[in-house]
């Protein structure tokens, strides 16, 4: 029919398509497009294709690792909700514009153009070409559609973020490099999906479900932790990290994802909640699902799902909570992703909680979510997924019990105000917090809050606040790691009569999730508090006491228990004190230009009264450099300053952040960051000259 082949190849027009689909940061030499938005490729021909009724072009798409799913692309728009294409003939070329449905499965597609004869015989076909299809939050028919450019700039396109730690009344920040557009990250994200148990068991069914952000996001929360499957990060909280990387050392997701992929799906050791959260946020943003990182302060870990956290003490007011005890984590991190919930009744679209930290099993697997934030607020604990668990994390009551020698338990106090405080995320307007507690719950003590409690099946406890009530407060002086500081415990008598009581104060080195690493001090005092007066006790916390047992989260918990002599009630107050850490200082003197060498000077001063050994700096930054380590040699004496130099070549223009961590044998988790504006060589040439 034809003496020579007509079709010589396909130009995917990666530059133009990636730019209009907002994926140019990911790659310029591969095609990455978003669903529900057309893209054009150019079919190159050696000659004009004869416009005969007996020839037609067909497009065939394959999806899946082994091309399991085959899609024939229609050349008419009639088939609503299916792939279709239009064509425009030019000089020796044909422009093909492909239209994908807004609910198409995301993934790696391969595309072949076929020339057919009138009777459907294949005359010739092009070599297959691949492209990635992602979710499209810019498309109003996509179930992840988010109608705000400002929010999309943050929740899809920002590669840098802040994770919040510390305690509810002393919030600390950790910069995090999401790096969702760094080289090969998109491939690793789909590799994570391909390694899920569902994909390995039945890949065709898994591919069909990949059009749903509910399915994809739930799969990611299970796969980010390595508890049940070929997941990415292994969690560990006991302080023993010598066979891996201490969770506090990571400054971003990219080294973790690369290590997992290069190791053939071997779990990466070790992570804790903010690490799981950072990695999940990277993967979800990369796939095109708007996502943000959340920190819930005083987060309940309710192991027996009774929507209360139970603390048990004996007659001597020593803790006797056995086994899997309920606890209040100083903070707990998860992510929220934005999506429609067509699988639920109306009213539950929008932000969904996804918690990738392995805490409890859901449908037999360690994953949590997506759970609508609105369902948590309204107490609709029957709505999927895992709403009772999330409801409890932000709403549980703290109940204190005394266990007598014969085993009898007596409830001595109940407090509904201490759990779920200052729920925080990074603002879209800059590097500061946005408090979103009101998204999760009605104001404490309001009528509406009580209604929600009842709806969630909660017993609303009556507080036993009678006259002669003693009140307990804990305050502290600035707590700088390596120094001694005072904690002041104040007992105030609001009653009309003098009251006798016993006060026990302990200070413990704890991890952020309430694991005790050692008692620093304990002080027991019998006291008489005059009516309408206050009694003050001072506990001096000395580095000699806390330095030996402080955890890598450098956190001290002071617990005060007050028992009036003639009453069977106990007043409990706890305060978590994050010890202030030194900052790393980073100086970059030259102008930052793509592909031109740049040097950072990083300096650190040892704030502790003891020497440090095994010092190592870790440096990384999206668009600047992949993760690199710089070791220091010998000891760093108390008060000694150390400076290291680090050279790198920026790879991408724009506002970039260089993140640095310092780690040693005794002092860990020291962070620093520098913001750099990187220009292209062309931009630099056109720099504004001052007159």
């Amino acid at each position: 029919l034809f003496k020579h082949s007509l079709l010589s190849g396909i130009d995917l027009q990666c530059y133009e398509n990636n730019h209009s689909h907002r994926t140019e940061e990911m790659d310029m030499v591969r095609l990455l497009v978003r669903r529900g938005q057309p893209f054009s490729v150019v079919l190159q021909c050696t000659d004009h294709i004869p416009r005969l009724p007996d020839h037609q072009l067909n497009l065939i798409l394959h999806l899946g690792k082994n091309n399991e799913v085959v899609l024939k692309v229609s050349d008419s728009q009639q088939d609503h909700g299916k792939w279709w294409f239009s064509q425009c003939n030019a000089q020796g070329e044909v422009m093909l514009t492909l239209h994908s449905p807004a609910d198409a499965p995301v993934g790696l597609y391969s595309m072949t153009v076929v020339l057919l004869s009138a009777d459907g015989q294949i005359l010739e076909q092009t070599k297959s070409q691949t492209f990635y299809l992602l979710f499209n939050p810019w498309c109003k028919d996509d179930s992840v559609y988010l109608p705000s450019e400002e929010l999309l700039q943050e929740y899809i396109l920002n590669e840098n973020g802040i994770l919040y730690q510390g305690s509810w009344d002393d919030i600390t920040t950790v910069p995090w490099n999401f790096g969702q557009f760094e080289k090969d990250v998109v491939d690793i994200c789909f590799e994570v999906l391909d390694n899920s148990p569902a994909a390995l068991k039945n890949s065709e069914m898994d591919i069909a479900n990949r059009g749903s952000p509910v399915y994809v996001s739930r799969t990611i929360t299970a796969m980010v932790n390595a508890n049940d499957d070929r997941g990415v990060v292994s969690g560990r909280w006991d302080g023993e990290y010598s066979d891996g990387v201490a969770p506090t050392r990571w400054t971003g997701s990219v080294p973790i994802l690369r290590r997992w992929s290069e190791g053939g799906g071997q779990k990466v050791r070790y992570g804790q909640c903010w690490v799981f959260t950072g990695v999940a946020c990277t993967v979800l943003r990369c796939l095109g699902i708007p996502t943000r990182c959340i920190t819930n302060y005083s987060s309940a870990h309710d192991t027996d799902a009774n929507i209360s956290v139970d603390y048990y003490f004996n007659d001597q007011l020593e803790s006797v909570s056995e086994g899997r005890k309920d606890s209040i984590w100083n903070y707990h991190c998860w992510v929220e992703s934005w999506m429609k919930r067509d699988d639920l009744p109306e009213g539950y679209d929008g932000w969904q909680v996804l918690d990738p930290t392995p805490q409890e099993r859901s449908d037999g697997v360690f994953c949590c979510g997506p759970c609508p934030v609105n369902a948590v607020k309204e107490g609709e604990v029957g709505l999927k997924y895992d709403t009772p668990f999330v409801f409890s994390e932000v709403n549980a009551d703290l109940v204190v019990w005394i266990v007598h020698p014969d085993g009898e338990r007596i409830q001595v106090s109940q407090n509904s105000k201490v759990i779920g405080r200052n729920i925080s995320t990074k603002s879209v307007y800059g590097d500061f917090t946005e408090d979103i507690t009101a998204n999760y719950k009605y104001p404490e003590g309001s009528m509406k809050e009580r209604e929600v409690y009842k709806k969630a099946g909660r017993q609303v406890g009556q507080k036993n606040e009678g006259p002669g009530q003693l009140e307990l407060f804990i305050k502290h002086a600035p707590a700088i790691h390596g120094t001694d500081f005072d904690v002041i415990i104040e007992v105030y008598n609001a009653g009309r009569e003098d009251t006798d009581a016993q006060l026990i104060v302990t200070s413990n080195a704890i991890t952020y999730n309430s694991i005790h690493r050692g008692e620093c001090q304990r002080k027991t005092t019998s006291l008489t508090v005059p009516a309408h007066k206050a009694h003050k006790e001072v506990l001096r916390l000395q580095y000699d006491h806390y330095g030996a047992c402080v955890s890598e989260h450098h956190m001290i918990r002071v617990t005060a228990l007050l028992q009036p002599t003639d009453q069977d009630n106990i007043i409990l107050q706890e305060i978590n004190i994050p010890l202030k850490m030194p900052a790393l200082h980073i100086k970059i003197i030259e102008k930052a230009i793509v592909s031109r060498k740049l040097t950072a000077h990083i300096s650190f001063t040892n704030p502790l009264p003891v020497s440090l050994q095994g010092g190592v700096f870790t440096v990384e930054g999206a668009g600047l450099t992949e993760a690199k380590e710089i070791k220091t040699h010998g000891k760093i004496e108390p008060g000694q300053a150390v400076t290291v130099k680090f050279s790198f070549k920026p790879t991408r223009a724009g506002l970039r952040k260089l993140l640095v961590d310092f780690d040693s044998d005794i002092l860990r988790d020291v962070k620093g960051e520098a913001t750099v504006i990187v220009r292209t060589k062309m931009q630099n040439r056109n720099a504004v000259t001052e007159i």
Side-chain angles (χ1 to χ4, degrees), residues 165-172 295-299 328-331 417-424 435 474 555 573-578:
Q165 297 182 351
S167 62
W168 71 272
D169 55 349
D170 191 355
I171 293 174
T172 59
T295 300
N296 176 38
Y297 287 95
S298 303
S299 189
I328 300 173
W329 294 21
N330 279 11
Y331 60 85
K417 292 200 171 81
V418 294
I419 286 168
R421 304 173 103 159
N422 288 8
I423 303 172
S424 301
D435 189 305
I474 308 177
M555 186 86 69
Q573 274 294 359
E574 281 189 329
I575 183 170
N576 297 308
I577 306 172

Side-chain angles (χ1 to χ4, degrees), residues 381-393:
V381 292
L383 293 175
K384 60 190 186 189
Y385 291 85
D386 311 302
T387 310
F389 186 75
V390 180
F391 184 89
S392 180
E393 286 182 305

Side-chain angles (χ1 to χ4, degrees), residues 321 386 505 627 648:
S321 302
D386 311 302
V505 184
F648 58 98

Side-chain angles (χ1 to χ4, degrees), residues 480-521:
I480 296 160
H481 197 3
T483 65
D484 303 345
F485 60 93
D486 288 339
V487 175
I488 297 145
I489 296 92
E490 195 174 288
V491 182
Y492 178 70
N493 184 355
R496 297 198 189 108
E497 294 165 15
D498 298 1
T499 305
D500 295 331
Q502 188 186 35
L503 175 68
I504 296 175
V505 184
T506 61
S507 64
N508 289 281
I510 57 156
T511 62
Y512 83 96
N513 61 329
S514 285
I515 297 172
H516 283 231
R517 288 276 172 83
E519 190 173 282
C520 307
Q521 276 141 300

Side-chain angles (χ1 to χ4, degrees), residues 388-419:
F389 186 75
V390 180
F391 184 89
S392 180
E393 286 182 305
V394 299
N395 280 313
D397 280 353
L398 172 59
V399 181
V400 178
W401 304 78
I402 289 286
V403 183
H404 291 306
D406 61 2
E408 185 195 5
R409 297 173 177 189
I410 294 172
Q411 181 180 326
V412 289
S413 74
Q414 179 172 1
N415 190 337
S416 65
K417 292 200 171 81
V418 294
I419 286 168

Side-chain angles (χ1 to χ4, degrees), residues 240-254:
E240 290 299 320
Y241 312 122
S242 55
D243 59 341
V245 175
T248 49
R249 275 192 62 190
W250 303 110
T251 47
S253 311
V254 180

Side-chain angles (χ1 to χ4, degrees), residues 150 154-155 158 160-165 171-175 285 292-295 297 422-436 657 673:
E150 259 173 343
E154 181 70 36
Y155 300 142
N158 196 349
N160 294 294
I162 294 174
L163 307 178
Y164 293 104
Q165 297 182 351
I171 293 174
T172 59
T173 60
V174 172
R285 282 186 186 179
R292 60 188 187 180
C293 296
I294 308 297
T295 300
Y297 287 95
N422 288 8
I423 303 172
S424 301
T425 188
K426 177 190 170 302
S427 166
V428 296
Y429 302 110
D431 290 351
F432 48 89
T433 56
E434 180 187 346
D435 189 305
I436 55 168
K657 284 195 177 175
E673 63 177 311

Side-chain angles (χ1 to χ4, degrees), residues 516-557:
H516 283 231
R517 288 276 172 83
E519 190 173 282
C520 307
Q521 276 141 300
R522 170 180 283 262
K523 188 174 184 181
T524 304
T525 318
S526 293
L527 43 97
T528 301
V529 191
H532 301 300
K533 291 273 192 328
H535 173 94
K536 282 185 184 172
E537 281 291 320
V538 177
L539 189 67
R540 184 144 185 88
L541 283 177
Q542 294 172 323
Y543 179 76
D544 288 352
H545 288 148
Y546 71 75
C549 58
V550 72
S551 78
E552 67 272 23
H553 304 122
H554 34 84
M555 186 86 69
I556 305 284
R557 174 173 291 173

